Amino acid sequence: MYTVQRAIIMAAGIGKRMQPVTNTIPKPLVKVNGKRMIDTVIEALHQNGITEIYVVVGYLKEQFRCLETEYSGLTLIENPLYDTCNNISSLYAAREFLEDVIILDGDQIIYNADIVSPDFVRSGYNAVWCEGKTDEWLMQVEDGVVTSCSRTGGEKGWQLYSISRWNKEDGRKLRRHLEIEFMDKQNRQIYWDDVAMFCYPEEYCLGIFEMKKTDIVEIDNLSELAAIDPSYQNYL
């Protein structure tokens, strides 16, 4: 059994699919039914005793400064390449904190704090069983171990969500592989999740952390935002 010691929250992106709302405010700080999305993430971490938190920022980074005073133990890390590279650049910026870590996106709403529990058996991703068809990343699992992952989705598999845990050994490997892909190979337009899932899958033995679809909401675009919070209907 491993235990998470720290968290990295990815919050550097522009959030283009939620414009014009995100023209003046970064997506993780957008309020949904009166509460900023990133607050649901931080509060869930705190409820699980995880207070060493690193938030990777880029777009409109100054607006995140308030978090350092609002939450003890929270530190901002700047990603200066957020607007020219994919999110591999954000995890690269936070690579020194990859041991015994939980990695999350700041632009999601967590309804059940149990899904960020610090205890885990294998490094890997939170996942929801998907019986029907999905276009999201879909993993196949045998005996608790991820055997494959499809970027284009499918059916009857475990849908990957952007919450993952990495023990010390796997975190060190992830850091080394990030440095190879990002710096040595200049592979800067991939998701950081590609590194373990597709670039070096043979070097990891990943598992999943099961949860329910109602435990979390990932808001991808303006219409999904308006569906959850009708006050944004006027932006459609």
Side-chain angles (χ1 to χ4, degrees), residues 185-227:
K185 295 184 178 180
Q186 296 285 298
N187 196 1
R188 300 189 169 190
Q189 299 305 324
I190 61 174
Y191 294 108
W192 74 263
D193 311 272
D194 281 297
V195 174
M197 278 293 183
F198 300 109
C199 298
Y200 304 92
E202 70 285 351
E203 297 201 33
Y204 298 87
C205 187
L206 301 180
I208 61 169
F209 189 102
E210 297 182 29
M211 64 178 190
K212 299 177 181 178
K213 195 175 183 66
T214 53
D215 290 336
I216 188 172
V217 170
E218 294 181 341
I219 300 177
D220 291 327
N221 54 54
L222 194 56
S223 60
E224 291 180 5
L225 174 63

Side-chain angles (χ1 to χ4, degrees), residues 24-125:
T24 57
I25 185 170
K27 186 179 175 184
L29 297 182
V30 170
K31 288 185 177 181
V32 180
N33 295 315
K35 191 167 193 174
R36 298 176 305 193
M37 287 191 276
I38 199 170
D39 287 318
T40 72
V41 177
I42 298 171
E43 290 172 6
L45 292 170
H46 279 204
Q47 289 179 44
N48 283 279
I50 305 168
T51 57
E52 182 185 337
I53 300 172
Y54 301 92
V55 180
V56 185
V57 299
Y59 177 64
L60 299 177
K61 61 185 179 183
E62 298 81 6
Q63 294 189 31
F64 289 94
R65 294 295 176 195
C66 60
L67 296 179
E68 291 184 305
T69 57
E70 294 173 9
Y71 295 104
S72 176
L74 187 148
T75 303
L76 301 184
I77 297 174
E78 182 181 354
N79 171 13
L81 302 174
Y82 74 92
D83 57 343
T84 58
C85 302
N86 210 328
N87 74 358
I88 186 175
S89 61
S90 285
L91 197 60
Y92 179 82
R95 66 193 182 281
E96 65 180 282
F97 304 109
L98 283 177
E99 297 180 11
D100 297 322
V101 67
I102 185 168
I103 306 172
L104 316 89
D105 283 350
D107 58 351
Q108 54 193 351
I109 303 172
I110 294 180
Y111 292 115
N112 178 9
D114 291 342
I115 66 173
V116 295
S117 167
D119 300 321
F120 64 108
V121 177
R122 294 182 185 275
S123 300
Y125 288 83

Side-chain angles (χ1 to χ4, degrees), residues 157-171:
W158 290 94
Q159 182 179 331
L160 180 152
Y161 279 72
S162 56
I163 300 174
S164 62
R165 296 164 180 80
W166 304 85
N167 63 33
K168 184 176 294 185
E169 180 184 357
D170 289 330

